Amino acid sequence: TRKSLLEEALLYSREGRCRILESMANQYNNIRIAGDDVDTSDSMVQQRLQPRPHLKDTAPRVDIVRFDATRKSHLIGPGGTVLRQLEERFGVSLDLSQEGACLLFGADAKMVKKARTAIMDLVADVTVGEVYEGTVIEVKDFGAIIELLRNKEGLLHISEWDDRNTTLRVGQQIDVLCTAVDPVQGSINLSQRQLLERRAPEF
């Protein structure tokens, strides 16, 4: 079945990644340049060994959106029209599971990101630990109000702003991490700072 083929492909992909990482670890422990041993603690060598903080925009992307399985019909649409429109509009391939997961495959990073946002608008709820692309709709002394999914709004407190940005402007689109959701009051707390810390490479 399609699901079993996908599971098999993901398994082979995982095995391949493990072999690559093992080879990289061996190379790291004993690098040879022009036949000479190199001290891997040297700062210049450390700099050369650092991975790119982000994949190139031209690198193929695979992403996943998890949602309540009862909303699957919202994503498919009558006769699959919504699903086809998403694939055609963003140039991606979508694969849905019965458990409530949508796999996105695409060659353009920006289009995959836009497709993910569109899918989440249709089926997902704002959940803690997820990253969202939001729009600044109001800036206050204590922070900014960010519009997220289906007109849901969250607070980006000024203490959680990206340290590199001293100001935000209305209409600006930014990536934010959901850090808290109050189920009673419905308030949502967001952070840029924690998102940057999560994305920073660790050595």
Side-chain angles (χ1 to χ4, degrees):
T1 64
R2 188 176 184 181
K3 182 179 179 181
S4 62
L5 288 174
L6 177 61
E7 290 175 345
E8 185 178 357
L10 292 174
L11 178 60
Y12 283 130
S13 176
R14 182 179 182 277
E15 291 177 352
R17 289 197 303 272
C18 289
R19 291 181 181 179
I20 292 172
L21 290 172
E22 182 179 359
S23 177
M24 290 173 63
N26 292 335
Q27 292 283 345
Y28 180 86
N29 291 329
N30 186 22
I31 300 176
R32 292 181 179 276
I33 299 179
D36 296 327
D37 289 333
V38 176
D39 182 6
T40 56
S41 64
D42 181 85
S43 60
M44 292 296 292
V45 176
Q46 289 279 357
Q47 185 176 1
R48 292 184 60 184
L49 289 171
Q50 289 185 2
R52 294 188 183 97
H54 305 289
L55 290 174
K56 291 182 178 180
D57 288 342
T58 54
R61 291 297 200 280
V62 178
D63 207 339
I64 185 169
V65 175
R66 300 188 185 279
F67 56 92
D68 185 342
T70 59
R71 296 178 179 172
K72 185 177 179 180
S73 59
H74 299 172
L75 186 53
I76 296 175
T81 54
V82 175
L83 193 67
R84 289 196 298 272
Q85 287 174 1
L86 288 169
E87 290 182 326
E88 293 172 1
R89 178 182 177 185
F90 299 106
V92 297
S93 177
L94 305 178
D95 189 10
L96 306 182
S97 74
Q98 296 294 333
E99 294 76 20
C102 177
L103 283 171
L104 298 84
F105 305 89
D108 188 311
K110 293 181 179 179
M111 296 305 288
V112 170
K113 184 177 181 180
K114 290 181 179 180
R116 186 179 194 276
T117 299
I119 291 169
M120 293 177 71
D121 280 340
L122 290 171
V123 296
D125 285 320
V126 177
T127 56
V128 175
E130 288 291 330
V131 178
Y132 301 93
E133 182 180 39
T135 303
V136 179
I137 60 173
E138 190 174 0
V139 179
K140 298 178 177 291
D141 292 339
F142 55 84
I145 307 301
I146 312 298
E147 183 181 55
L148 302 171
L149 308 178
R150 297 188 300 278
N151 296 321
K152 291 183 180 292
E153 298 175 1
L155 171 64
L156 177 63
H157 192 270
I158 194 168
S159 63
E160 295 296 332
W161 286 16
D162 179 356
D163 293 337
R164 298 171 300 180
N165 294 330
T166 56
T167 60
L168 290 175
R169 65 181 185 278
V170 174
Q172 182 178 353
Q173 290 188 321
I174 58 174
D175 287 343
V176 291
L177 174 70
C178 177
T179 56
V181 176
D182 188 326
V184 178
Q185 298 183 355
S187 60
I188 301 170
N189 293 339
L190 308 170
S191 176
Q192 281 184 306
R193 179 181 57 80
Q194 295 183 44
L195 175 59
L196 291 173
E197 291 175 353
R198 174 196 283 192
R199 288 176 171 175
E202 298 179 358
F203 299 98

